């Protein structure tokens, strides 16, 4: 409604001003996969869902451009990661090497950026390959384990 229904005469002639105020800490909305559920246990399945989700199209078409893509559960805070772990962080992480994914020791995750078409074939191909690799193949037009 905010994006489409503020078109009454007082807005048009300037008596009512519609303004979006910047927030220092944006409350993030995100999709979280319940990794204890069988269908989400394989990280390749979770990665495929990330590849297939077209944030740019969704934000433009459904959300009227109201959202900024978050990269961290701690978006816009001092706890948001912005690069590889510092030497101090590596010292804390090192005892867990081999128990946590190797990605923890490198650059932070950045979600893919689509072409905004709602059907970015490059990302959809990556998602399909990840699902195939996870044993979810297409049989009779359906993706099955």
């Amino acid at each position: 409604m905010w994006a489409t229904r503020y078109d009454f005469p007082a807005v048009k002639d300037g008596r009512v001003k519609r303004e979006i105020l910047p927030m220092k800490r944006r409350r993030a909305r995100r999709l979280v996969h319940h990794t204890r559920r069988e269908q989400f246990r394989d990280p390749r399945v979770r990665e495929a869902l990330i590849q297939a989700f077209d944030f740019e199209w969704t934000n433009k078409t459904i959300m009227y451009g109201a959202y900024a893509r978050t990269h961290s559960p701690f978006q816009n805070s001092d706890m948001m990661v912005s690069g590889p772990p510092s030497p101090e962080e590596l010292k804390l992480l090192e005892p867990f090497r081999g128990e946590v994914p190797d990605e923890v020791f490198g650059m932070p995750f950045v979600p893919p950026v689509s072409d905004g078409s709602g059907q970015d074939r490059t990302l959809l191909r990556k998602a399909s390959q990840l699902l195939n690799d996870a044993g979810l193949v297409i049989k009779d037009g359906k993706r099955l384990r």
Side-chain angles (χ1 to χ4, degrees):
M1 290 190 336
W2 176 254
T4 62
R5 294 193 184 167
Y6 278 79
D7 61 354
F8 49 89
V11 171
K12 291 179 181 176
D13 68 21
R15 288 178 290 139
V16 171
K17 184 176 178 183
R18 188 176 83 142
E19 186 175 356
I20 297 173
L21 301 175
M23 295 175 61
K24 289 184 180 180
R25 290 206 172 116
R26 182 171 279 229
R27 198 174 76 196
R29 295 178 188 253
R30 61 185 75 77
L31 175 65
V32 178
H33 306 112
H34 188 328
T35 58
R36 284 188 242 157
R37 296 196 66 174
E38 180 61 35
Q39 63 265 40
F40 298 128
R41 282 192 184 147
D42 191 319
R44 295 171 295 189
V45 172
R46 299 190 305 268
E47 174 69 18
L49 293 172
I50 291 167
Q51 293 292 329
F53 177 64
D54 192 333
F55 172 82
E56 287 70 29
W57 178 88
T58 303
N59 191 40
K60 173 183 67 180
T61 307
I62 298 173
M63 304 301 179
Y64 299 94
Y67 291 92
R69 186 85 185 252
T70 59
H71 298 187
S72 167
F74 306 107
Q75 193 76 20
N76 299 334
S77 79
D78 294 341
M79 296 186 343
M80 181 179 164
V81 66
S82 60
S86 68
E88 296 84 6
E89 289 168 322
L90 283 173
K91 187 176 176 182
L92 291 171
L93 289 169
E94 202 56 52
F96 302 101
R97 193 177 289 274
E99 296 178 43
V100 297
D102 289 339
E103 292 86 4
V104 170
F105 297 90
M107 291 299 290
F109 172 77
V110 176
V113 176
S114 75
D115 64 11
S117 68
Q119 51 190 348
D120 187 320
R121 296 177 82 60
T122 301
L123 294 176
L124 290 172
R125 273 191 216 95
K126 287 179 186 176
S128 183
Q129 186 59 55
L130 285 162
L131 292 172
N132 286 337
D133 294 347
L136 293 155
V137 296
I138 297 175
K139 293 180 188 171
D140 298 325
K142 296 179 184 177
R143 195 168 286 278
L144 304 169
R145 186 171 296 277

